[in-house]
Amino acid sequence: MRNLSELAIKNRTLVWYFIIVIAIAGVFSYMKLGRMEDPAYTVRQMVVTAAWPGATARQMEEQVTDKIEKKLQDTPNLDYLKSYSRPGQTVIYVYLTDQAPRDSIRDTWHEVRNLTEDMKSELPDGVVGPFFNDRFDDVYGSVYAVTGDDYSYEELRQKAEEIRRIMLTVDDVSKVELVGEQSEAVYIEVANDKLAELGIPPTAISDAVSGQNAMTPAGMVDTESDNVYLRVSGVFDDLESIRNLPINANGRLFRLGDIASVERRYTEPADPKMFFDGKPAVGIALSMKNGGNILELGSNLEEMQQYVKQNLPAGMELHQVSDQPKVVEESIDDFVDTLREAILIVLAVSFLSLGLRTGLVVACCIPLVLTGVFCVMEVAGIDLHKVSLGALIISLGLLVDDAIIAVEMMSVQLERGMNRLDAACHAFKVTAKPMLTGTLVTCAGFIPVAFSDGAASEFCQALFPVILSALVLSWLVSVMAAPLFGYYLIRVKAVKTEETLYQNRFYDGFRAVLVWCLSHRRAVIGGTAALCIAAAGLMKYIPQEFFPPSLRPEIIVEMTLPEGSSLAATEKEAAALARYLDTKPGQIKNYSYYVGEGAPRFVLTLEPVLPADNYAQFVVVAADVEGREALAEDIRREIEERQPGVRCNIKSIPLGPPSDYPIMLRVSGYDIDKVKAYAAQAADAVRQDLNVRQVFLNWEQKSEIVQVRLDQEKLRAMGASGQTIAQTLYTELSGATIAEYYGAPDKTIAIQLRLSPDGRNDLSRIRSLPVYAGTAGYVPLEQVATISYGAEEGLIWRRDLKPTITVEGTIRSGTANDATQKAYDDTAAIRSSLPFGYSIEVDGDLENSQKSLGYLLKPVPVMVLLIMTLLMIQLRSVSLMALTLITAPMGVVGVAIAMLLLGKSLGFVAYLGILALGGMIIRNSVILIDQIKQHLAAGEDPWHAVIDSAVLRFRPIMLTAAAAILGMVPLMTSIFWGPMAVAIAGGLLGATVLTLLVLPTMYAAWFRIYPE
């Protein structure tokens, strides 16, 4: 290899030029990098929905859900299907495997549409849809709320729509959606006694209204000079024109307003609603374009917000519900502060250990490498977010290693009396190749996260390219820029003899310890092996956690009422909790809640909840992160004590892929009743754990129904049919859309016909409802039917076509992984007795963790093979390669002790650190083994070659380890990176000590080296 240090010094003008260019380019690249809170990852999920008004949940499952799911099983790269069926509605989630290429996801969703369209003819008549949502991963990071005490929902909606159109003109804005808007209808309500008295069939009213209001072209006259259209009057301009509509019934003319009330109001039952700080609101949710700069978007939105507020009518307010640009800015500022702390720590290590001038050489290398990395990040399209910034901090402790080794060797040679050029050249000859091998081995340790599948790996994928570029650039800087800096900066006094350099009390003590280890090699090697085995045993006592909750101040409160509950009942319960939150102004910054659906996906790791009448979700923003847990406990206690009929789930925003509950077990089978029985047994087993707070089944209660059994013989005698009666009941109770009203400026309003409220909202009056029975005219419903009350399945969950119930639970303390594993172990007796085709499996965080860890381990053989190849190229000996590899497991000693002492959980990010730790340990071992080879090649006897090599490499190995370990200290307080930082720092500390003592001992034992 050409001596790059010599080349750099002899062509220093050119090298200085490139140093300045890289520094300037790096500064501009940093300014241009995108800013995000979290890295983007692909949500391999699509939602297919369909409706069949009037069908039961069981009919939906059998006639709609099952047919669609069978067809969707042909979807390429399908992982599994999950669905639920409700009366009149089915929702199917399509999940693709983690191996599905990102570039093919959109094509797959088109294939799903095609497959479903192909089987539409197999669905029963009356099925509406299917409909598709393949943009389930859209993130609406900025959410606003428009409120006003004296304004109606429609007035709020109109203003929100006006603001929405302004927002669409802002740079980098992709989509803007309204949330919580209430649709309107024109209701024509007839009293049931009027219908019976006048004998007006429902069709008389509906035909008259639709016939009058139909938009029918009247033609065009094509003159010699113009096209003149004919406009025929008759379309309803206002409500009064509807009231004045003549109705012909039994030869008599009636004015519609005389026999029915005609009013324009909000639909009943209501649409999902949004509230901000307890006030009705219309939300505005905004998403950013891909590749946009979130901080610039935030600045533009702030200007827009100021403009809008100045033009709002009196009493109307615009509130910021979610401000992702501000969150990203604060998150990046925190990480930059952490990066600054890490740089100061590394510089302190360099200056204290190497001296001012030599330490200054290392200090100059750091910004040069960082600016080079920023250039690579811009070219590779890597934004600044928690993963890329964390990778920079991790690499900071590693990127100075090569520079420390190079300048330390140069300094030693200068102390021996060499001139500056020869010292720099000698440092390259001795250290460049082992440093390069060590650098590549360290990079190889991060291969699993770069090439494994799964959302978790994709989430952390920026780790590898950032660390790879940082370490490779650091090697180039250490062999070219560092010698150049050292050429000008390092000034040391020549000490001529090596004995003078390494003859002092410290080195004498280290040499004595090393000689003792070499002399008691069996005890040392056996003790080390026992220590590693014991540490591996300790690992099972470390808490397991997939991803920790974030430190964002939001608290997510989910309220679920019994299946079949109305949206009005859910709103009442939500309002009760809102009144409680109003009593805690000092603890809460603001809160918003959504009745009938979940909040928009304002964070990628928070999965939105589809509409359900019995569901409400609060997003409570605590005044500070420190008081978040106490506030969450207060809210939990309030709901448990004051609202016992509400199922409550309180959680924080996760840092990784989300799960609904801490404890989740999936019970599947073929027979619904058996699945319910096994799920109930599993739930009872889980409840025995005192750490479990509450246990639920996601499909448990049945819904109340009124069973109407028609007398078909009577109906035929009257000239009526069951379909006619059902349509009449639907029109009278729920309301049938008979026409459209075009009196609103920006929307179309349905005109619905139904009974007046006193005739349709009272169950006790169902029997007396008048139904039109052909020649008999209007008769009470009980005259042609038997009325009874009962219950039916209001919800049916399936997974891969099998009925599936999920046992869900909350916990008092600990991690979701540990709690779910214990719950699964507690069901062992039940699982052993399950018949063929029935199963109880883990779900949620534990399943995601197991899958992600499995994906992470798949590339490990390639990583090991690559490391072995690099070692063989450098060492040219199978024995030396094996000795070097054996040192990698020594890191487990420090990992286990550090994780237990500092109370960190072992999760996905920690496993990444443990895998990467092996490469860092091997790096030090390579340098030491290479030094022994050099001493042997110089003619030194093996015994002294081993000892002198360890002494000579002691300072650079300890300095590089100290830089790496202390560089991790600022990250240890990070919720996301803390476990990895502790694992790397603890493992590297223990392994470095063992490497300096145990590796020479193993070398001497393997090659049978004894003192002469």
Side-chain angles (χ1 to χ4, degrees):
M1 182 188 295
R2 181 80 180 270
N3 194 314
L4 298 180
S5 298
E6 180 182 8
L7 186 68
I9 294 174
K10 289 184 177 180
N11 298 274
R12 43 185 174 271
T13 303
L14 182 62
V15 174
W16 278 117
Y17 169 78
F18 281 113
I19 289 173
I20 295 170
V21 168
I22 292 172
I24 295 174
V27 171
F28 281 99
S29 295
Y30 176 78
M31 295 170 63
K32 292 172 64 177
L33 289 175
R35 267 71 169 171
M36 299 173 63
E37 180 183 6
D38 295 310
Y41 66 91
T42 307
V43 178
R44 292 169 166 81
Q45 181 181 356
M46 182 181 186
V47 181
V48 181
T49 59
W52 189 17
T56 65
R58 183 65 66 90
Q59 289 169 333
M60 287 298 303
E61 182 215 6
E62 294 174 348
Q63 299 298 321
V64 180
T65 307
D66 189 69
K67 292 178 179 179
I68 296 176
E69 286 185 341
K70 285 179 181 176
K71 194 67 177 178
L72 291 179
Q73 285 183 308
D74 296 334
T75 303
N77 296 311
L78 178 67
D79 188 9
Y80 65 93
L81 300 169
K82 185 174 75 172
S83 67
Y84 65 81
S85 302
R86 281 194 165 102
Q89 179 194 29
T90 184
V91 176
I92 303 170
Y93 296 88
V94 183
Y95 292 87
L96 301 183
T97 62
D98 292 312
Q99 291 85 1
R102 275 180 285 182
D103 296 339
S104 69
I105 299 297
R106 292 298 168 198
D107 292 336
T108 304
W109 297 150
H110 285 301
E111 183 67 17
V112 169
R113 291 172 182 267
N114 294 336
L115 288 171
T116 312
E117 290 292 330
D118 289 345
M119 54 80 57
K120 261 189 175 183
S121 59
E122 301 174 25
L123 299 176
D125 292 338
V127 172
V128 182
F131 305 103
F132 309 92
N133 180 2
D134 57 1
R135 296 287 179 179
F136 205 60
D137 55 350
D138 286 339
V139 177
Y140 297 91
S142 297
V143 181
Y144 300 84
V146 180
T147 63
D149 291 337
D150 298 324
Y151 293 90
S152 66
Y153 265 116
E154 178 57 18
E155 290 170 324
L156 296 177
R157 185 201 68 82
Q158 289 180 5
K159 179 54 68 173
E161 174 61 25
E162 179 184 324
I163 297 171
R164 187 188 79 86
R165 299 186 184 194
I166 294 174
M167 287 181 174
L168 285 171
T169 64
V170 177
D171 291 341
D172 287 337
V173 171
S174 174
K175 294 169 63 176
V176 184
E177 303 286 347
L178 297 187
V179 180
E181 57 179 326
Q182 298 298 297
S183 56
E184 293 183 286
V186 174
Y187 285 113
I188 301 174
E189 295 181 338
V190 188
N192 57 0
D193 54 348
K194 281 277 189 183
L195 285 175
E197 176 186 344
L198 299 174
I200 304 173
T203 54
I205 298 177
S206 61
D207 291 346
V209 173
S210 60
Q212 176 76 18
N213 200 50
M215 186 66 72
T216 306
M220 179 191 73
V221 178
D222 184 9
T223 69
E224 292 182 358
S225 58
D226 300 293
N227 292 331
V228 180
Y229 291 93
L230 275 66
R231 302 301 184 194
V232 179
S233 64
V235 175
F236 300 131
D237 297 322
D238 51 33
L239 297 186
E240 197 59 35
S241 61
I242 301 177
R243 295 188 183 102
N244 292 329
L245 179 69
I247 303 296
N248 189 339
N250 298 326
R252 293 185 294 172
L253 280 177
F254 298 94
R255 179 175 165 272
L256 181 58
D258 294 335
I259 61 173
S261 66
V262 179
E263 295 181 0
R264 174 181 169 180
R265 58 177 184 266
Y266 304 113
T267 54
E268 300 170 357
D271 295 326
K273 295 181 177 181
M274 176 184 177
F275 296 81
F276 181 80
D277 282 345
K279 299 177 182 178
V282 173
I284 309 171
L286 179 150
S287 67
M288 184 181 72
K289 290 180 180 177
N290 290 332
N293 189 313
I294 190 70
L295 298 186
E296 291 181 6
L297 175 62
S299 177
N300 294 335
L301 289 176
E302 182 63 30
E303 292 181 12
M304 180 277 307
Q305 191 175 356
Q306 295 302 321
Y307 166 78
V308 169
K309 285 184 175 180
Q310 292 173 4
N311 293 277
L312 287 175
M316 190 177 289
E317 296 177 285
L318 178 67
H319 308 273
Q320 182 99 43
V321 180
S322 174
D323 189 357
Q324 191 181 36
K326 183 178 179 181
V327 172
V328 171
E329 184 177 13
E330 292 175 351
S331 176
I332 290 177
D333 287 345
D334 288 342
F335 267 102
V336 170
D337 289 342
T338 304
L339 181 62
R340 190 180 300 114
E341 292 173 10
I343 291 174
L344 292 175
I345 290 173
V346 171
L347 289 177
V349 172
S350 302
F351 286 125
L352 292 175
S353 58
L354 298 173
L356 180 60
R357 286 181 170 271
T358 308
L360 192 59
V361 174
V362 177
C364 292
C365 294
I366 293 175
L368 182 58
V369 174
L370 289 179
T371 51
V373 173
F374 291 143
C375 295
V376 173
M377 289 175 64
E378 186 189 1
V379 172
I382 301 173
D383 297 324
L384 285 178
H385 44 65
K386 70 173 52 146
V387 173
S388 59
L389 283 167
L392 282 173
I393 298 170
I394 291 168
S395 60
L396 182 65
L398 303 174
L399 64 85
V400 296
D401 290 1
D402 289 344
I404 288 175
I405 292 170
V407 299
E408 195 270 347
M409 178 59 71
M410 184 176 176
S411 179
V412 168
Q413 298 310 312
L414 287 172
E415 290 176 350
R416 289 176 173 172
M418 282 189 180
N419 62 49
R420 288 177 294 169
L421 178 60
D422 290 341
C425 295
H426 180 81
F428 180 88
K429 291 176 186 176
V430 173
T431 63
K433 288 184 179 179
M435 281 196 315
L436 179 59
T437 301
T439 296
L440 296 177
V441 166
T442 303
C443 294
F446 292 92
I447 282 178
V449 71
F451 298 100
S452 60
D453 299 313
S457 294
E458 189 178 343
F459 189 81
C460 300
Q461 209 162 39
L463 203 63
F464 180 73
V466 172
I467 291 178
L468 175 66
S469 59
L471 296 187
V472 172
L473 286 173
S474 74
W475 181 83
L476 289 172
V477 168
S478 70
V479 298
M480 297 189 75
L484 182 60
F485 296 151
Y487 185 85
Y488 290 103
L489 292 174
I490 298 178
R491 298 286 187 274
V492 296
K493 294 181 180 179
V495 183
K496 300 300 180 185
T497 62
E498 188 165 322
E499 288 76 11
T500 308
L501 291 174
Y502 298 104
Q503 290 294 337
N504 56 48
R505 183 177 299 178
F506 178 82
Y507 281 112
D508 289 344
F510 173 68
R511 189 177 281 106
V513 173
L514 182 57
V515 170
W516 185 92
C517 291
L518 293 174
S519 302
H520 300 80
R521 58 192 64 182
R522 289 188 178 181
V524 171
I525 296 173
T528 303
L531 198 60
C532 291
I533 294 171
L538 287 176
M539 296 289 281
K540 67 180 181 181
Y541 297 105
I542 302 174
Q544 302 286 317
E545 185 174 43
F546 184 36
F547 278 97
S550 72
L551 281 181
R552 288 182 56 142
E554 290 94 344
I555 302 170
I556 309 299
V557 182
E558 297 181 308
M559 305 176 71
T560 307
L561 274 65
E563 193 63 39
S565 298
S566 66
L567 190 137
T570 306
E571 183 178 349
K572 181 179 178 182
E573 295 290 352
L577 179 59
R579 289 192 293 271
Y580 172 74
L581 295 179
D582 289 336
T583 65
K584 294 184 170 292
Q587 295 177 258
I588 296 175
K589 185 177 180 181
N590 63 64
Y591 70 91
S592 56
Y593 67 96
Y594 307 80
V595 179
E597 66 178 356
R601 189 196 283 265
F602 61 92
V603 178
L604 183 60
T605 56
L606 188 68
E607 190 169 305
V609 178
L610 295 181
D613 288 347
N614 65 330
Y615 178 85
Q617 185 183 82
F618 280 72
V619 180
V620 182
V621 182
D624 51 66
V625 177
E626 292 75 18
R628 185 184 68 179
E629 295 306 317
L631 177 60
E633 189 58 35
D634 289 344
I635 295 173
R636 179 182 288 108
R637 190 181 305 110
E638 171 70 15
I639 295 176
E640 289 177 354
E641 293 177 357
R642 306 275 184 175
Q643 298 172 278
V646 175
R647 188 173 80 190
C648 165
N649 182 31
I650 299 178
K651 57 187 178 182
S652 302
I653 295 173
L655 282 175
S659 295
D660 294 335
Y661 284 83
I663 296 177
M664 296 183 71
L665 296 177
R666 204 167 52 239
V667 185
S668 298
Y670 296 104
D671 181 80
I672 288 179
D673 293 331
K674 288 184 178 180
V675 171
K676 282 189 169 186
Y678 293 133
Q681 292 177 32
D684 289 339
V686 174
R687 287 190 184 97
Q688 304 307 310
D689 185 355
L690 297 179
N691 189 47
V692 175
R693 188 188 299 273
Q694 293 175 310
V695 178
F696 315 108
L697 300 180
N698 71 332
W699 161 22
E700 191 170 13
Q701 309 102 337
K702 290 189 174 184
S703 300
E704 298 175 348
I705 63 166
V706 176
Q707 188 71 48
V708 180
R709 300 187 182 279
L710 298 173
D711 189 329
Q712 299 295 339
E713 292 185 2
K714 281 187 179 181
L715 291 177
R716 279 195 294 271
M718 296 175 178
S721 66
Q723 182 182 17
T724 304
I725 300 299
Q727 290 176 342
T728 301
L729 289 173
Y730 182 79
T731 300
E732 293 177 342
L733 296 175
S734 298
T737 300
I738 58 176
E740 291 177 334
Y741 177 63
Y742 310 116
D746 60 346
K747 64 178 182 178
T748 302
I749 299 175
I751 301 176
Q752 293 195 350
L753 174 64
R754 65 181 185 181
L755 284 180
S756 57
D758 58 344
R760 59 184 167 81
N761 290 341
D762 187 351
L763 276 177
S764 64
R765 301 183 64 175
I766 293 293
R767 296 176 182 274
S768 60
L769 279 180
V771 293
Y772 194 76
T775 56
Y778 282 95
V779 298
L781 178 61
E782 63 181 351
Q783 187 172 324
V784 294
T786 302
I787 312 297
S788 61
Y789 298 94
E792 67 178 17
E793 298 290 352
L795 177 68
I796 300 175
W797 279 96
R798 289 159 52 114
R799 183 183 171 103
D800 284 337
L801 282 70
K802 290 164 55 174
T804 301
I805 297 177
T806 305
V807 180
E808 303 167 331
T810 59
I811 55 178
R812 302 181 189 278
S813 62
T815 66
N817 280 21
D818 289 341
T820 303
Q821 185 61 58
K822 187 176 187 311
Y824 182 72
D825 294 340
D826 290 342
T827 62
I830 304 170
R831 285 186 280 115
S832 64
S833 63
L834 292 177
F836 177 78
Y838 292 80
S839 63
I840 298 177
E841 299 172 308
V842 297
D843 202 337
D845 273 351
L846 182 57
E847 182 185 34
N848 291 335
S849 182
Q850 291 174 345
K851 288 171 65 176
S852 297
L853 186 57
Y855 292 139
L856 192 63
L857 294 177
K858 280 185 179 180
V860 168
V862 177
M863 177 191 79
V864 173
L865 179 61
L866 182 58
I867 290 175
M868 291 171 62
T869 303
L870 290 169
L871 293 177
M872 281 298 297
I873 293 172
Q874 174 64 34
L875 302 174
R876 309 297 173 94
S877 167
V878 175
S879 299
L880 294 180
M881 179 195 70
L883 278 175
T884 308
L885 286 175
I886 289 173
T887 60
M890 294 181 186
V892 74
V893 177
V895 170
I897 295 173
M899 299 287 279
L900 286 171
L901 287 178
L902 296 180
K904 297 295 183 180
S905 298
L906 195 59
F908 181 80
V909 176
Y911 281 116
L912 287 181
I914 293 172
L915 287 174
L917 177 63
M920 300 177 195
I921 297 169
I922 291 173
R923 173 189 180 134
N924 289 335
S925 302
V926 168
I927 294 173
L928 182 54
I929 292 290
D930 186 78
Q931 191 66 47
I932 295 174
K933 286 180 62 180
Q934 291 182 36
H935 279 258
L936 291 173
E940 193 171 2
D941 66 273
W943 176 262
H944 288 96
V946 171
I947 296 174
D948 291 344
S949 296
V951 171
L952 185 64
R953 290 289 89 199
F954 179 88
R955 186 168 76 155
I957 287 177
M958 289 302 295
L959 286 180
T960 56
I965 293 167
L966 294 176
M968 297 291 168
V969 170
L971 273 183
M972 289 183 183
T973 57
S974 166
I975 291 293
F976 185 80
W977 292 110
M980 173 187 271
V982 170
I984 290 177
L988 197 56
L989 176 61
T992 300
V993 175
L994 292 174
T995 298
L996 288 167
L997 296 174
V998 178
L999 179 58
T1001 305
M1002 291 192 298
Y1003 186 96
W1006 181 265
F1007 292 103
R1008 300 178 181 178
I1009 298 173
Y1010 296 93
E1012 295 180 358

